[in-house]
Amino acid sequence: MASQPNRIITIANQKGGVGKTTTAINLATALAAIGESVLIVDLDPQGNASTGLGIDRRDRKLSSYDLLMGTHGISDIAQQTAVPNLAILPSTMDLLGIEMEIAGESDRVFRLRRALFSDDAAQYSYILVDCPPSFNLLTMNAMTAAHSVLVPLQCEFFALEGLSQLLETVDQIRRTVNPSLDIQGIVLTMYDSRNNLALQVVNDVRTHLGEKVYHTLIPRNVRVSEAPSYGKPAILYDLKCAGSQAYLQLASEVIQRERQRKAA
């Protein structure tokens, strides 16, 4: 049996604009900063995680598309980022057509799992998969490959409605193709302490989901929003800003939960 990385975490939410890619980039950077070996798999055809880590589109000769098609392995595709210990499998628009290309294949939802449960992947202690903002074959591949799902949730009125749909999807994947899949945690993003509605959403989510919700709140932060345009994670762009500090705290929580899981 092939080796496997210590932990594969899919970062997913079918709703766009919730800070999913920002969370993937900055959580990965924070984990790498404390010495973990981390790989991001960019599964979103828009390729925002790749752009946000400074990978120019002209330099994406191979991508996660090639991984899913089985023509190349992780070691062929992975590009080192400006962050020590952090590599990425970049994304290209080719991913838009993959659903039609492999729709008739019996292994269509297992493509990513097979690639990540390989000797190539074993060198990484964490693999974070950044999904598109929809539930499609790419997201199914990500959840089928993952040990757990981390859900960024924006502090807004319809947050819980969208979350219940996502939790049903995770349950469906668990029942059909990946019985060991669990919820790594819910991370509340774009929090504005001046907004009473945001505080109400935080309280509602904690009431419904309890310990599944991370203690760390990711605030709305201009510096975090600016960072991708410079091809940098916020933690490299401005380490001292509130958003960067929050992602460092989130990384600590993720690692703490992993230790508890292993000890259980």
Side-chain angles (χ1 to χ4, degrees), residues 8 16 28 132 191 203-204 209 215 241:
I8 302 169
Y191 176 70
N203 291 334
D204 286 350
L209 293 160
H215 297 295
C241 76

Side-chain angles (χ1 to χ4, degrees), residues 1-253:
M1 183 179 175
S3 304
Q4 58 175 289
N6 287 341
R7 199 67 171 162
I8 302 169
I9 301 173
T10 284
I11 300 177
N13 191 323
Q14 73 275 23
K15 191 174 184 302
V18 299
K20 178 178 55 60
T21 298
T22 300
T23 296
I25 290 172
N26 287 290
L27 176 58
T29 301
L31 290 168
I34 56 177
E36 301 287 352
S37 179
V38 186
L39 176 71
I40 290 181
V41 180
D42 189 350
L43 271 197
D44 187 344
Q46 296 176 82
N48 291 337
S50 307
T51 302
L53 283 167
I55 309 297
D56 192 279
R57 291 190 182 276
R58 292 168 296 184
D59 296 329
R60 304 176 200 178
K61 309 299 184 194
L62 295 172
S63 70
S64 52
Y65 168 85
D66 300 288
L67 189 75
L68 292 174
M69 293 303 291
T71 58
H72 293 81
I74 290 172
S75 59
D76 302 320
I77 304 166
Q79 294 194 35
Q80 180 59 44
T81 71
V83 181
N85 303 321
L86 176 58
I88 186 168
L89 303 185
S91 161
T92 61
M93 297 295 281
D94 292 338
L95 282 175
L96 284 172
I98 200 164
E99 194 145 0
M100 293 181 65
E101 291 186 60
I102 66 173
E105 303 295 328
S106 59
D107 69 340
R108 59 189 175 275
V109 300
F110 295 99
R111 294 290 183 98
L112 186 62
R113 182 180 179 89
R114 186 170 63 236
L116 296 187
F117 280 66
S118 66
D119 292 337
D120 265 6
Q123 62 183 292
Y124 300 104
S125 47
Y126 285 92
I127 294 182
L128 305 185
V129 185
D130 186 32
C131 294
S134 59
F135 183 64
N136 56 18
L137 188 55
L138 292 169
T139 308
M140 284 186 69
N141 262 272
M143 289 190 180
T144 303
H147 296 109
S148 62
V149 180
L150 188 151
V151 185
L153 194 69
Q154 188 175 356
C155 294
E156 62 165 29
F157 183 68
F158 291 113
L160 276 173
E161 186 177 280
L163 179 61
S164 61
Q165 186 182 349
L166 181 64
L167 296 179
E168 285 174 17
T169 299
V170 171
D171 196 45
Q172 180 186 353
I173 295 289
R174 188 188 295 124
R175 289 196 313 268
T176 54
V177 292
N178 186 2
S180 61
L181 185 67
D182 67 7
I183 299 293
Q184 174 83 20
I186 315 294
V187 56
L188 293 160
T189 62
M190 303 182 186
Y191 176 70
D192 185 346
S193 60
R194 299 165 299 179
N195 186 331
N196 288 334
L197 175 61
L199 184 58
Q200 183 182 331
V201 170
V202 170
N203 291 334
D204 286 350
V205 174
R206 291 200 192 285
T207 298
H208 282 83
L209 293 160
E211 289 303 309
K212 284 292 184 188
V213 186
Y214 290 105
H215 297 295
T216 302
L217 296 171
I218 308 297
R220 283 193 180 277
N221 188 257
V222 173
R223 303 296 276 173
V224 169
S225 301
E226 288 175 350
S229 64
Y230 292 87
K232 291 181 178 181
I235 290 170
L236 281 192
Y237 180 63
D238 185 350
L239 176 62
K240 293 182 179 178
C241 76
S244 296
Q245 291 299 307
Y247 277 114
L248 289 169
Q249 290 174 18
L250 178 63
S252 296
E253 277 199 77

